[in-house]
Amino acid sequence: MARASLLFLGFLFHWILPCCYSDSGPNCPKTNTSLLNFESEFVMLQHQLRGVFELIDDCSFRVSEFDMLQGSDVRWWGAIRDDFTNLTTGFVISDMNLNKTYKNDSFVVSLMSNVTWDKIRVVAVWDMPTASDFGHVVLSNSRNGSEDSAPLPSPAAGDGENSNFRVYELPTMFENCKVLSENYRVRWTLKVEEGVIDIGLEAVTGNQNYMAFGWADLNSSSKPMVGADVTVTGFKEDGMPFADDFYITKYSECVKDEDGKAQGVCPDMMYEGSDAAGSVNNTRLVYGHRKDGVSFIRYQRSLKSDDKKYDLPVNHMDNMTVIWAMGLMKPPDSLHHYYLPQNHGGTYGHLMLNVSEHVNNCLGPLDAEDKEDQDLVTADGNEPLVVTTGPALHYPNPPNPSKVIYINKKEAPVLRIERGVPVKFSIQAGHDVAIYVTSDLLGGNATLRNMSETVYAGGAQAEGVQASPTELVWVPDRNTPDQVYYHSVFTQKMGWKVQVVDGGLSDMYTNSVVLGDQQVKLFWTLSDNSTSFAARGEKKSSYLAIGFGSAMVNSFAYVGWVDDDGKGHVNTYWIDGREASRIHPTSESLTYVRCKSENGIITLEFTRPLNPSCSGDKRPECKNIIDPTTPLKVIWAMGARWSEDHLSERNMHSAASSRPVRVFLMRGSAEAEEDLRPVLAVHGFMMFLAWGILLPGGILAARYLKHVKGDGWYQLHVYLQYSGLVIVLLGFLFAVAELQGLHFDSVHVKFGMAAISLAVVQPVNAYMRPKKPASGEAASSKRLIWEYIHVITGRCAIVIGIAALISGMKHLGDRYGVENIHGLNWALISWFLIGALTVIYLEYREKMRRRDRVFGRSNWVLGNSEEEDIDLLSPSRTFSGKESSSSERMEVQLEPLTR
């Protein structure tokens, strides 16, 4: 009875109401035969507008099945083309106002007396204050179906060859619609002759959620999902729609067992492999969009598929069980290359459906509470907002120019700023785009439209290019409205909204840096015994994690998420492996903990002590000590789902930092941890060759090879020292050029510069050496002083050079995180220990040789006057000289008196 009443009321609404609304009557001719009976669906652009347009005579048209969310001042609008310029310069074509929400309504609209069809090529539903096109139809010639926007030729009067025709622009209309839940609908059109069915899924849901619909296995009455053939739809991270064919083997997320076989809710292609994609995928995506917080996907599937294993036949004449679900989806990762459904979160069901029976219980458009889908960019005083231009792909207020403003590589985002915090714009949008902040929704200089506006920042001079950007600084104050707009001075509707809020993270924390890959921002305030941290994601996710460490493994993680009840959590973990079982909850002492999600953007905050109160305990968190004087390595990750207990593969992150960032807590800055540069590797090898081999070799030659006949020891000493010095200078220049300057902020650089300075002094010292004494003469005091300086400087240079090598290895590990750095350190230490043992052995042999020489002199009768090999710093040097003189006098006394 209720259904019959509803149908009767619908009949009255459809047929009687149009008669009550200004039908054109018999006085309106039907001379425009090229457009007479033209019928088309409205193109949905905003406010969930859909319906059917039919031109019935020269001065009126009929609208049926019309849905639209209420606007502010909405009128029927005409234009000669459907491009931005012509639509914005269009005109009102009817006295009718559309200032309400329409629900499957039908009516006739009369044109104004001064409007004729030859002036109109586009009929639009237009919101006057926002210059917004909610939807439109493009009139085309019935004879050729052309949608050319040139004026139609006037046909001859009395042409009776009128035919009904219908133009489909963007397919949002179907013959049937059924409500699955309060915010979820399925629409379909059956095409028996073609053997296919067109299906549209429509839901008020987030852009990270999936919509699924399909047929249950006839042999599975108790568990309709098992064995079901479903289509999973949604939107990728780049905003593009998808519709994939899935088969359900059990109630679980899609995983692979030990044998590599897929099980759970998985794409057909995962069961058979990517090579079989064409034979098992029974779904063809037709169209998809997200508008006003509502997701809509249209796809087509065969009634009978060639895939008998994973696709179920649809008998269009029978009542069949269909299932549906909606929930979070997991983006592709290294293990799976598909968007996979996660737990449906309670939004699911099944029912009996005969697709051949006409059904339409969808009354009116879906109305989402949160209609804002644009990306959100939050500004602060430390990082400039990079303003560029790019193609208009998802501009929120059509019609719009083909080029719009991008901020931080995001198309026309909502910009959120804080009062009292300077906002810096780096304008690189080109000389034809001047940026300004205005009270006018449309921009483009409101005075040209005879409108007034308040300009808060920028103007005609705020333009620049990438090679020469212009900097614009704006500080919103307490008098700045809660919402203003950023736009171009020269062109309307290139920018979007600016939300002005009170206070924020930049006001609450003294320091901030952008972490790796520009996706997470870290804030902190350092106190005497604690540090307060905050992290905010720059992209939508369900959880945000930051970690202290060089990589995920062996790091301390802080994970923030919001549960299904809207409560925020921040938990701490110690991670010692890549599996979910290696993520261990810890009990760190956190205070002032907060976590919130705004438009999918996660922000977490906490305060923790620098030194845990349990220091000395064996628990992992007791080792999580923060030393403000050393860089803190920070990483991040985001994902689609987190839970307090029972972590599994589904909690795997979908995005993560590619490398850690070294955060200097005391200095308030950060730098990305880099891979070891090849030039710096060459620098290290050259320095090892010089300070570890050549220069020490030159010293050993001068110390232990003087007893060899000739001056070979001297030549070897000079060649090794000069070769080592040249290599040192080359290695130094390589490092300075690669690092683009010389910075004395590390111990390694200080040691290195001291060693190089001493090494450079040696050639100058050698050039200024006093004359060598003749045989038998005592060395002058200048010569002795020079020898002392030369030897001490050389040996000090070697010691400091070795210290520079060791500190360089430590710097290598701290800055670049090179693997096996401890092994390299031990290899270097072992090398110098071997060198020290060699020196000890040579020193012992040298003393033994000298002792033998001294005792051997008592048997000399005649000797030569050649210089003995002596140690410049030996205390027996003077004694040896005197002994030589005495020996010479003894030789003279023993000469015969007669010849």
Side-chain angles (χ1 to χ4, degrees):
M1 182 65 183
R3 176 167 179 169
S5 300
L6 181 62
L7 291 175
F8 178 73
L9 290 175
F11 175 83
L12 292 177
F13 191 81
H14 185 80
W15 292 105
I16 297 177
L17 181 61
C19 299
C20 301
Y21 201 97
S22 65
D23 200 343
S24 52
N27 295 327
C28 187
K30 299 181 180 181
T31 58
N32 195 336
T33 57
S34 63
L35 289 176
L36 191 61
N37 297 326
F38 169 82
E39 186 174 320
S40 174
E41 294 180 9
F42 282 93
V43 178
M44 179 191 293
L45 295 177
Q46 294 185 79
H47 282 242
Q48 295 301 296
L49 183 145
R50 55 162 51 92
V52 178
F53 171 97
E54 181 185 3
L55 193 150
I56 57 178
D57 53 36
D58 287 4
C59 46
S60 62
F61 59 92
R62 179 181 290 112
V63 178
S64 56
E65 303 175 63
F66 188 67
D67 285 352
M68 187 191 76
L69 296 173
Q70 182 175 356
S72 53
D73 183 9
V74 185
R75 307 292 296 273
W76 290 106
W77 192 259
I80 60 174
R81 291 183 183 272
D82 61 347
D83 59 85
F84 170 64
T85 302
N86 283 286
L87 277 173
T88 54
T89 56
F91 49 92
V92 176
I93 63 174
S94 174
D95 293 326
M96 179 181 180
N97 293 321
L98 300 169
N99 298 332
K100 69 173 186 176
T101 295
Y102 288 83
K103 301 180 179 180
N104 202 25
D105 291 337
S106 297
F107 46 84
V108 172
V109 181
S110 296
L111 300 181
M112 290 179 172
S113 58
N114 60 341
V115 176
T116 57
W117 288 120
D118 59 349
K119 299 178 181 179
I120 304 172
R121 298 297 301 175
V122 179
V123 176
V125 177
W126 191 263
D127 187 70
M128 302 293 288
T130 61
S132 297
D133 182 7
F134 288 179
H136 63 258
V137 295
V138 179
L139 307 182
S140 61
N141 193 300
S142 63
R143 296 184 180 277
N144 54 23
S146 170
E147 295 182 10
D148 184 20
S149 297
L152 285 171
S154 299
D159 190 347
E161 295 182 11
N162 298 333
S163 59
N164 293 329
F165 63 98
R166 188 163 178 166
V167 176
Y168 294 90
E169 296 266 357
L170 297 178
T172 61
M173 299 285 291
F174 295 81
E175 294 178 358
N176 306 277
C177 182
K178 189 170 184 61
V179 174
L180 300 177
S181 71
E182 181 181 0
N183 292 318
Y184 193 10
R185 298 172 177 178
V186 59
R187 300 175 183 266
W188 74 93
T189 297
L190 182 63
K191 301 178 180 179
V192 179
E193 296 79 6
E194 301 177 25
V196 297
I197 181 172
D198 283 0
I199 299 174
L201 300 181
E202 183 180 43
V204 175
T205 186
N207 58 3
Q208 302 173 11
N209 291 359
Y210 71 90
M211 301 178 293
F213 180 84
W215 276 261
D217 188 357
L218 295 175
N219 301 320
S220 178
S221 57
S222 60
K223 294 182 178 180
M225 287 186 64
V226 176
D229 174 20
V230 301
T231 298
V232 175
T233 67
F235 292 88
K236 302 176 183 179
E237 290 182 329
D238 60 0
M240 299 302 294
F242 71 89
D244 292 333
D245 198 3
F246 275 63
Y247 183 75
I248 303 175
T249 58
K250 68 174 187 177
Y251 286 101
S252 73
E253 296 178 16
C254 184
V255 295
K256 288 187 177 181
D257 58 20
E258 297 177 354
D259 298 328
K261 295 182 179 179
Q263 55 183 351
V265 184
C266 300
D268 291 2
M269 290 181 287
M270 284 190 64
Y271 294 110
E272 292 295 321
S274 58
D275 295 338
S279 60
V280 300
N281 190 7
N282 186 33
T283 300
R284 183 178 71 87
L285 175 68
V286 177
Y287 172 73
H289 69 226
R290 268 193 65 83
K291 299 182 185 299
D292 313 304
V294 177
S295 294
F296 173 81
I297 302 286
R298 179 168 184 152
Y299 65 93
Q300 187 180 85
R301 62 155 291 167
S302 301
L303 296 176
K304 293 183 179 180
S305 171
D306 294 333
D307 177 19
K308 308 300 182 184
K309 191 173 182 180
Y310 302 112
D311 289 338
L312 300 178
V314 178
N315 190 336
H316 64 280
M317 299 302 295
D318 287 347
N319 289 325
M320 300 184 67
T321 301
V322 295
I323 65 172
W324 56 271
M326 182 170 62
L328 285 172
M329 64 182 174
K330 182 179 181 180
D333 53 34
S334 58
L335 298 178
H336 304 294
H337 304 297
Y338 305 95
Y339 286 82
L340 300 177
Q342 294 189 305
N343 194 311
H344 45 63
T347 308
Y348 68 101
H350 65 277
L351 51 87
M352 299 299 293
L353 183 67
N354 187 330
V355 295
S356 63
E357 294 181 355
H358 178 67
V359 178
N360 187 5
N361 61 357
C362 304
L363 183 60
L366 290 175
D367 190 0
E369 183 176 345
D370 182 8
K371 297 179 175 61
E372 185 64 72
D373 271 338
Q374 290 301 104
D375 289 323
L376 177 67
V377 172
T378 303
D380 62 68
N382 298 322
E383 296 293 332
L385 299 171
V386 180
V387 181
T388 57
T389 57
L393 303 177
H394 306 288
Y395 189 77
N397 186 25
N400 51 271
S402 59
K403 182 175 71 173
V404 297
I405 294 172
Y406 280 59
I407 295 181
N408 289 357
K409 300 181 179 181
K410 295 181 178 180
E411 178 188 359
V414 175
L415 180 60
R416 179 172 296 171
I417 62 175
E418 300 160 3
R419 290 183 174 88
V421 178
V423 181
K424 184 185 298 183
F425 297 88
S426 176
I427 303 174
Q428 309 171 17
H431 297 303
D432 59 338
V433 179
I435 304 300
Y436 78 130
V437 181
T438 172
S439 60
D440 183 52
L441 170 66
L442 304 181
N445 193 350
T447 57
L448 299 178
R449 307 189 310 273
N450 296 320
M451 303 285 289
S452 63
E453 66 178 334
T454 302
V455 177
Y456 298 95
Q461 304 302 319
E463 46 87 10
V465 294
Q466 185 175 7
S468 179
T470 295
E471 185 177 285
L472 172 65
V473 179
W474 173 42
V475 184
D477 56 28
R478 57 182 300 180
N479 297 319
T480 306
D482 291 342
Q483 181 164 293
V484 292
Y485 305 88
Y486 62 92
H487 280 295
S488 168
V489 175
F490 306 131
T491 306
Q492 294 181 28
K493 300 175 77 171
M494 290 189 68
W496 193 227
K497 300 175 182 177
V498 180
Q499 296 178 351
V500 185
V501 298
D502 292 326
L505 297 178
S506 298
D507 294 332
M508 297 166 58
Y509 295 89
T510 57
N511 305 284
S512 65
V513 296
V514 178
L515 300 182
D517 307 303
Q518 308 291 309
Q519 295 297 330
V520 176
K521 193 158 192 177
L522 180 71
F523 303 81
W524 75 93
T525 296
L526 184 63
S527 303
D528 293 337
N529 300 313
S530 64
T531 305
S532 298
F533 289 100
R536 182 182 64 222
E538 298 296 334
K539 62 184 293 186
K540 296 180 179 180
S541 65
S542 293
Y543 73 82
L544 171 64
I546 61 170
F548 297 160
S550 298
M552 178 181 69
V553 179
N554 295 326
S555 68
F556 293 94
Y558 302 83
V559 183
W561 81 99
V562 178
D563 61 23
D564 295 337
D565 298 327
K567 182 180 179 182
H569 302 264
V570 177
N571 280 13
T572 61
Y573 301 88
W574 161 249
I575 304 176
D576 60 3
R578 296 187 177 276
E579 299 80 16
S581 60
R582 308 302 294 273
I583 302 177
H584 310 288
T586 59
S587 302
E588 288 197 37
S589 177
L590 302 184
T591 55
Y592 303 103
V593 176
R594 290 191 297 177
C595 183
K596 62 180 180 179
S597 176
E598 294 180 290
N599 296 325
I601 301 297
I602 298 290
T603 302
L604 62 90
E605 300 177 71
F606 63 89
T607 299
R608 54 147 295 170
L610 296 177
N611 294 300
S613 57
C614 61
S615 296
D617 201 325
K618 294 183 179 180
R619 289 180 294 164
E621 60 265 31
C622 300
K623 301 178 182 179
N624 188 12
I625 300 174
I626 295 179
D627 182 1
T629 62
T630 61
L632 178 66
K633 296 181 180 180
V634 183
I635 56 177
W636 62 265
M638 299 180 189
R641 184 178 181 85
W642 194 261
S643 58
E644 199 155 8
D645 301 312
H646 309 298
L647 296 176
S648 63
E649 186 181 281
R650 66 183 182 179
N651 302 115
M652 180 181 291
H653 56 261
S654 58
S657 53
S658 58
R659 64 186 63 199
V661 168
R662 302 167 71 242
V663 177
F664 300 88
L665 297 177
M666 295 187 67
R667 201 166 64 188
S669 62
E671 61 183 23
E673 186 165 280
E674 305 170 344
D675 292 329
L676 179 59
R677 305 177 192 177
V679 174
L680 297 183
V682 172
H683 163 81
F685 174 77
M686 294 176 72
M687 290 305 185
F688 171 76
L689 181 64
W691 293 107
I693 298 176
L694 297 178
L695 295 176
I699 292 178
L700 293 179
R703 173 70 177 168
Y704 302 113
L705 295 182
K706 287 184 179 179
H707 63 279
V708 179
K709 295 295 184 179
D711 61 349
W713 70 270
Y714 178 77
Q715 294 181 9
L716 184 61
H717 170 74
V718 172
Y719 292 155
L720 289 176
Q721 298 302 91
Y722 277 109
S723 298
L725 182 59
V726 170
I727 291 176
V728 165
L729 294 177
L730 287 176
F732 168 75
L733 293 176
F734 283 177
V736 171
E738 182 66 12
L739 297 176
Q740 299 181 353
L742 185 60
H743 310 282
F744 290 88
D745 55 350
S746 70
V747 176
H748 170 65
V749 175
K750 295 174 182 177
F751 273 131
M753 290 305 301
I756 292 173
S757 300
L758 292 175
V760 171
V761 167
Q762 288 297 73
V764 179
N765 183 286
Y767 178 78
M768 299 176 61
R769 68 181 182 276
K771 184 178 180 181
K772 177 181 176 181
S775 298
E777 291 183 359
S780 65
S781 58
K782 291 183 178 180
R783 176 75 182 192
L784 288 175
I785 293 172
W786 174 85
E787 290 175 351
Y788 272 96
I789 293 174
H790 188 67
V791 171
I792 293 174
T793 302
R795 294 179 181 178
C796 289
I798 289 296
V799 173
I800 298 175
I802 292 173
L805 286 177
I806 295 174
S807 64
M809 296 298 290
K810 184 178 184 303
H811 186 67
L812 184 70
D814 292 341
R815 184 180 181 92
Y816 297 101
V818 177
E819 297 181 357
N820 302 322
I821 190 66
H822 296 293
L824 293 175
N825 272 327
W826 280 113
L828 185 63
I829 293 173
S830 299
W831 172 260
F832 287 122
L833 286 177
I834 293 173
L837 293 175
T838 302
V839 170
I840 292 173
Y841 172 76
L842 292 176
E843 192 68 24
Y844 170 77
R845 290 292 304 272
E846 179 69 11
K847 289 189 178 296
M848 293 298 296
R849 190 178 63 79
R850 288 178 179 171
R851 189 188 66 176
D852 293 341
R853 186 177 67 239
V854 171
F855 284 113
R857 288 194 178 191
S858 61
N859 297 324
W860 290 356
V861 176
L862 294 175
N864 57 47
S865 59
E866 294 181 4
E867 182 182 12
E868 304 284 349
D869 56 320
I870 54 177
D871 184 3
L872 294 174
L873 299 182
S874 173
S876 61
R877 171 182 171 89
T878 305
F879 171 77
S880 298
K882 292 179 179 179
E883 182 180 44
S884 177
S885 300
S886 176
S887 176
E888 289 183 3
R889 288 194 297 271
M890 187 181 298
E891 292 172 13
V892 173
Q893 292 175 358
L894 292 176
E895 289 181 356
L897 297 177
T898 59
R899 297 183 181 271

